[in-house]
Amino acid sequence: MPKQERAEETRRRILEAAQETFASQGYQATSVAEICQRAGVTKGAFFYHFPTKHALFLALLEDWLSQLDQYLNPDRYLGNNVAQSLYAMADLLKAGLTQGRDYLPMFLEFWLQAARDPVVWQATIEPYRRYRAFFANLYLQGMNEGSLCTADPSLAAVAMVSLALGLLLQGLMDHESVNWEEAAPAAFRWVLSLMAPDPATTP
Amino acid sequence: MPKQERAEETRRRILEAAQETFASQGYQATSVAEICQRAGVTKGAFFYHFPTKHALFLALLEDWLSQLDQYLNPDRYLGNNVAQSLYAMADLLKAGLTQGRDYLPMFLEFWLQAARDPVVWQATIEPYRRYRAFFANLYLQGMNEGSLCTADPSLAAVAMVSLALGLLLQGLMDHESVNWEEAAPAAFRWVLSLMAPDPATTP
């Protein structure tokens, strides 16, 4: 294996081992030695890639966010107009519920660390600010083209991002009580109908 | 101080010390000895009240939930009908944002522990199930009296509880970016308008 490939493979193994260990026993209780053992790498290799456990934690957060960003690209859903794209995006919640289960402990760990650490806090809240801005912008675009109607695009963005977050969290925590994979997109579309009629139910 | 009062005072001090210590360094990393030291009580006194650290953790969770329940009593908000009560309840989010700040680390800790521990999990998800049932029931009542109109009360309850959770979490994590104390009730009322017109804006 060429040297660069080997280094990337090592980095990936450290990230995987760290995610598993943080998820099962928490960030604070996990040592660099444990991560190295699980990943099967030397401490030398670890510190070549990550100067500190904290840097590794932030790298995991960044990896996770860039995966989310790929899903949130509106070009992937673009129908004839913004309203149609938004209704199609509701199904993202289904994917989030399926794929999010492995990430939930890490996700909660980020938030818990964020409450204690300004750097993690900044990295954790930044995407929510970005999502709210992204949706506010999309709503404006929909209003301009005439496919959406709302008195306050910023408030609508706050509501839709909050709704999605609450649906994902409850669905990931308690997947037994409700059929979340149906209920989450349905709830999202119900609230979307405040801004535009559902193309699936309108003749 | 009479014996029973002294015992209650000790119990309260242990709970306070535990909440502070769990919040600052996490549940896993906190020892019973540290809680005793912070509370200024002996280990004997600790174990008289709580057989384990885990039992103490669950007692904190119960205390917190019973505080929430007091706020969610619809009799406190009862206007002329269910729709009016719901619009009035939107202001609960403002109180949640003000008072929740001290509880956020504990709240995240509960969720993180819930992902690892079936007893904590049960205690953590139960209130969300209860809130969803509570609101579904309230919506049915509103439909029967004619003040609300919705096709699916259960779905509306899922949406409203999710919305409230997402608003509180973002508002508690990131109180700088948005005026959450205004935006949270406004977003809640905006979604409520799917079921009944806002009495404040209807002539």
Side-chain angles (χ1 to χ4, degrees):
Chain A
M1 206 188 280
K3 199 172 167 189
Q4 202 196 331
E5 252 179 58
R6 209 164 55 226
E8 273 168 24
E9 163 73 15
T10 304
R11 188 179 186 276
R12 197 190 50 74
R13 264 161 56 200
I14 296 171
L15 285 168
E16 272 178 23
Q19 188 186 324
E20 288 161 14
T21 324
F22 291 159
S24 64
Q25 61 190 47
Y27 171 77
Q28 308 251 23
T30 298
S31 68
V32 168
E34 280 170 291
I35 297 169
C36 290
Q37 201 190 358
R38 187 168 198 135
V41 304
T42 62
K43 280 208 179 176
F46 181 98
F47 289 118
Y48 172 79
H49 290 283
F50 304 102
T52 58
K53 187 173 79 163
H54 191 251
L56 168 62
F57 191 76
L58 287 172
L60 275 176
L61 180 55
E62 264 169 43
D63 271 19
W64 190 56
L65 291 174
S66 67
Q67 282 181 44
L68 279 185
D69 281 350
Q70 283 173 26
Y71 280 101
L72 269 185
N73 183 349
D75 294 343
R76 289 176 61 147
Y77 310 94
L78 237 43
N80 293 328
N81 56 43
V82 171
Q84 282 187 19
S85 300
L86 284 167
Y87 275 100
M89 282 172 107
D91 283 325
L92 263 185
L93 291 165
K94 221 187 286 181
L97 288 165
T98 315
Q99 289 160 21
R101 210 142 289 153
D102 296 337
Y103 286 98
L104 181 65
M106 268 312 289
F107 175 88
L108 295 172
E109 188 82 25
F110 286 137
W111 277 27
L112 196 59
Q113 287 303 318
R116 294 177 190 143
D117 179 326
V119 178
V120 178
W121 179 76
Q122 192 60 44
T124 305
I125 57 151
E126 191 274 331
Y128 295 93
R129 294 182 175 183
R130 200 151 37 88
Y131 299 149
R132 293 193 303 262
F134 168 81
F135 280 105
N137 207 29
L138 206 57
Y139 297 157
L140 262 179
Q141 201 183 312
M143 287 165 75
N144 287 339
E145 76 183 12
S147 74
L148 289 184
C149 175
T150 183
D152 186 338
S154 296
L155 188 71
V158 160
M160 300 310 286
V161 172
S162 300
L163 175 66
L165 176 61
L167 289 167
L168 285 171
L169 275 173
Q170 284 179 94
L172 291 172
M173 286 292 288
D174 182 16
H175 45 275
E176 286 163 19
S177 62
V178 168
N179 182 345
W180 289 100
E181 302 201 352
E182 272 184 25
F188 197 82
R189 284 193 289 263
W190 183 60
V191 179
L192 271 182
S193 74
L194 273 163
M195 295 187 285
D198 188 342
T201 58
T202 333
Chain B
M1 210 189 276
K3 200 173 164 186
Q4 203 197 328
E5 250 179 62
R6 209 165 53 228
E8 274 167 24
E9 162 74 13
T10 303
R11 188 178 186 277
R12 197 190 50 72
R13 262 162 55 201
I14 296 171
L15 285 168
E16 273 180 21
Q19 187 187 323
E20 289 162 10
T21 324
F22 291 161
S24 63
Q25 63 190 47
Y27 172 76
Q28 307 251 27
T30 298
S31 67
V32 168
E34 280 171 291
I35 298 169
C36 290
Q37 201 191 359
R38 188 170 195 132
V41 305
T42 64
K43 280 207 179 178
F46 181 98
F47 289 117
Y48 172 79
H49 290 282
F50 304 102
T52 58
K53 188 174 78 165
H54 190 250
L56 168 61
F57 192 76
L58 287 172
L60 274 177
L61 180 56
E62 264 168 44
D63 272 20
W64 190 58
L65 291 174
S66 67
Q67 282 180 44
L68 278 184
D69 281 351
Q70 284 172 26
Y71 280 101
L72 268 184
N73 183 349
D75 294 344
R76 289 177 59 151
Y77 310 94
L78 238 40
N80 294 328
N81 56 42
V82 171
Q84 282 188 18
S85 300
L86 284 166
Y87 275 100
M89 281 171 106
D91 283 327
L92 263 185
L93 290 165
K94 220 185 290 180
L97 288 164
T98 314
Q99 289 160 22
R101 211 141 290 155
D102 295 338
Y103 285 97
L104 181 66
M106 270 312 289
F107 175 88
L108 295 171
E109 188 83 26
F110 287 137
W111 277 27
L112 195 60
Q113 287 302 318
R116 294 176 189 145
D117 179 325
V119 179
V120 178
W121 180 76
Q122 192 60 44
T124 306
I125 58 151
E126 193 273 333
Y128 295 94
R129 295 181 175 185
R130 201 151 38 85
Y131 298 150
R132 292 193 303 260
F134 168 81
F135 280 105
N137 206 30
L138 206 56
Y139 297 157
L140 263 178
Q141 201 182 314
M143 287 164 77
N144 288 338
E145 75 181 14
S147 74
L148 288 184
C149 176
T150 181
D152 186 339
S154 295
L155 187 71
V158 161
M160 300 310 286
V161 172
S162 300
L163 175 67
L165 176 60
L167 288 167
L168 284 171
L169 276 173
Q170 285 178 94
L172 290 172
M173 287 291 288
D174 183 17
H175 46 276
E176 286 164 17
S177 62
V178 168
N179 182 347
W180 290 99
E181 303 202 351
E182 271 184 27
F188 196 83
R189 284 192 290 262
W190 182 61
V191 179
L192 271 181
S193 72
L194 273 164
M195 297 188 283
D198 187 342
T201 58
T202 335

